[in-house]
Amino acid sequence: MRAPIGHFDHATPAPDRLDELTRPVADAVRAWRGSVPAEQFLYVDTDPEWADTATFVEHYGRELLEQSANCVVVAGKRGGETTLAACVVLSTTRADVNGVVRRQLGARKASFASMDTATGESGMEYGGITPVGLPADWPVLVDSAVVDLPYVLVGSGRRRGKLLVPGKAFAELPGAVVLEGLGVA
């Protein structure tokens, strides 16, 4: 099947490629019951050597820069308690960790989680973390601009491969909160 965005050799419904996904992502795709059918979540194979954004868009299509989202793990701290959350923002922006994220989590301080925490707690590879399949108790903060896109390129849980997900599906992920202004230039 042809991918709806980008220049990929082939796109396959993610439920048909569960073996290419990390366990938490595969489990989430298998259990998906949102208004967007799971078959509309597409898997595309990508070379991990081209994972860097500049190289990636050069190889797979410059338009992907405007249609890609990053998923970053943050840690909000208040009174000795730490809350892990994910932020999903367009790749042309950065998450407003010290403003929008900190207030949404009710934290005194918010920062990016360490690589070991992000990968260990998510069960995903660094550079491939995706909001699909994160722990159910994590808030998933999604910038409204992501939800507005027909399709969005995100990680697949691994450095190899990506998911193409209809934007509106992000609002239906477990723990999802759609926020205006989460991604800032």
Side-chain angles (χ1 to χ4, degrees):
M1 133 186 312
R2 183 161 167 73
I5 59 174
H7 307 288
F8 300 99
D9 293 335
H10 191 68
T12 308
D16 296 341
R17 297 300 300 268
L18 298 177
D19 58 320
E20 296 292 334
L21 307 172
T22 60
R23 173 182 244 156
V25 179
D27 290 347
V29 169
R30 194 178 295 111
W32 179 256
R33 300 292 178 260
S35 65
V36 174
E39 290 73 23
Q40 288 184 22
F41 288 51
L42 304 175
Y43 175 82
V44 292
D45 188 42
T46 59
D47 189 327
E49 295 293 320
W50 298 325
D52 174 69
T53 301
T55 307
F56 190 90
V57 299
E58 187 66 36
H59 188 77
Y60 294 110
R62 286 212 158 285
E63 73 278 7
L64 289 172
L65 192 57
E66 309 292 323
Q67 300 166 328
S68 299
N70 293 325
C71 179
V72 295
V73 179
V74 296
K77 297 178 182 177
R78 181 176 200 91
E81 296 282 322
T82 300
T83 300
L84 293 177
C87 297
V88 183
V89 297
L90 294 178
S91 62
T92 54
T93 65
R94 60 178 176 73
D96 184 5
V97 175
N98 290 312
V100 174
V101 174
R102 185 182 55 74
R103 285 189 300 275
Q104 183 65 34
L105 297 179
R108 288 186 74 84
K109 180 182 176 187
S111 59
F112 294 104
S114 71
M115 180 175 65
D116 289 343
T117 298
T119 57
E121 296 294 325
S122 71
M124 300 178 199
E125 294 178 5
Y126 190 73
I129 294 176
T130 182
V132 179
L134 290 172
D137 61 337
W138 284 21
V140 178
L141 311 179
V142 183
D143 188 87
S144 60
V146 171
V147 176
D148 291 342
L149 290 174
Y151 265 91
V152 180
L153 177 92
V154 292
S156 67
R158 298 177 56 210
R159 282 188 61 80
R160 176 171 210 106
K162 299 285 186 188
L163 293 176
L164 303 176
V165 179
K168 64 183 179 181
F170 290 93
E172 298 181 9
L173 291 169
V177 178
V178 177
L179 299 168
E180 293 285 331
L182 175 63
V184 294

